[in-house]
Amino acid sequence: MTRALIIIDVQNDFTEGGALAVDGGAAVAGAISALLAAHPNTYGHIFASRDWHDAEGGNNGHFAVDAEPDFVDTWPAHCVADTTGAEYHAALTLPESTVHILKGQGQPGYSIFEGVDGAGEKFGELLIAAGVTHVDLVGLATDFCVRASGLDALEHGQQVRVFTDLIAGVAPESSEQALAELAHAGAVLATSEVVEQA
């Protein structure tokens, strides 16, 4: 069994003060860092995704350009490539071995499986090459990119645990629905305390 930690979109624009701030986002960033510091040898592989949207155009309908955003399918501009908003939150400390995945790049890009590494390798192919069979999922936001990434991981045959103490969502109701959907699809909902048993 090879287990990976997948960290979704812990970026400035998704944390307090950002363009699409999620309440509790900064706390999630710090808590993920604490987990990694306490268990430096638990994960053979760590992947961290970032939205990395184009500055020009609507990113295939993702950015609201000609109308107000509906906050379901269309959004204000956020996580534009090479801007402060697209950077990891300062409280997130990642090991040097972390593989960085960029998603969006002209598309909506909710799931990490839509992203690529610096060499252009697709995330799903990286998991296969690394022999990963089990993933622990943390990050932002529960009801959108964490949800999409978890469902895709299950579709790709991964055993998925979602750490409910290391995620934060846009809204309570939609976050609860997302977690229920993930559990129904086969994900295990747990807290990061289970890492002690790893």
Side-chain angles (χ1 to χ4, degrees), residues 8-9 14 22 139-148 167-170 175 178:
I8 303 295
D9 299 1
F14 295 138
V22 173
L140 308 172
T142 307
D143 31 359
F144 288 93
C145 296
V146 171
R147 171 190 171 274
I167 55 176
V170 173
S175 294

Side-chain angles (χ1 to χ4, degrees), residues 14-173:
F14 295 138
T15 54
E16 290 81 351
L20 284 174
V22 173
D23 287 341
V28 165
I32 293 170
S33 297
L35 173 73
L36 290 169
H39 304 282
N41 301 314
T42 295
Y43 295 101
H45 303 276
I46 298 169
F47 300 91
S49 72
R50 281 185 288 172
D51 268 10
W52 201 253
H53 294 304
D54 293 346
E56 302 299 323
N59 288 271
N60 201 25
H62 192 56
F63 286 2
V65 176
D66 300 320
E68 290 297 309
D70 63 17
F71 295 95
V72 177
D73 297 307
T74 62
W75 307 88
H78 60 277
C79 298
V80 172
D82 298 312
T83 66
T84 300
E87 295 305 317
Y88 294 117
H89 189 275
L92 182 67
T93 302
L94 297 172
E96 286 186 14
S97 60
T98 301
V99 177
H100 303 280
I101 305 295
L102 300 180
K103 59 190 182 66
Q105 298 182 292
Q107 301 295 323
Y110 292 100
S111 170
I112 190 173
F113 283 85
E114 298 173 67
V116 296
D117 69 1
E121 289 292 320
K122 293 180 179 178
F123 176 68
E125 294 172 357
L126 294 171
L127 282 186
I128 293 169
V132 173
T133 55
H134 293 63
V135 299
D136 291 343
L137 191 61
V138 301
L140 308 172
T142 307
D143 31 359
F144 288 93
C145 296
V146 171
R147 171 190 171 274
S149 298
L151 292 174
D152 277 356
L154 289 162
E155 277 198 19
H156 281 76
Q158 294 292 324
Q159 299 293 313
V160 177
R161 294 192 302 195
V162 180
F163 289 160
T164 56
D165 58 327
L166 299 182
I167 55 176
V170 173
E173 183 176 334

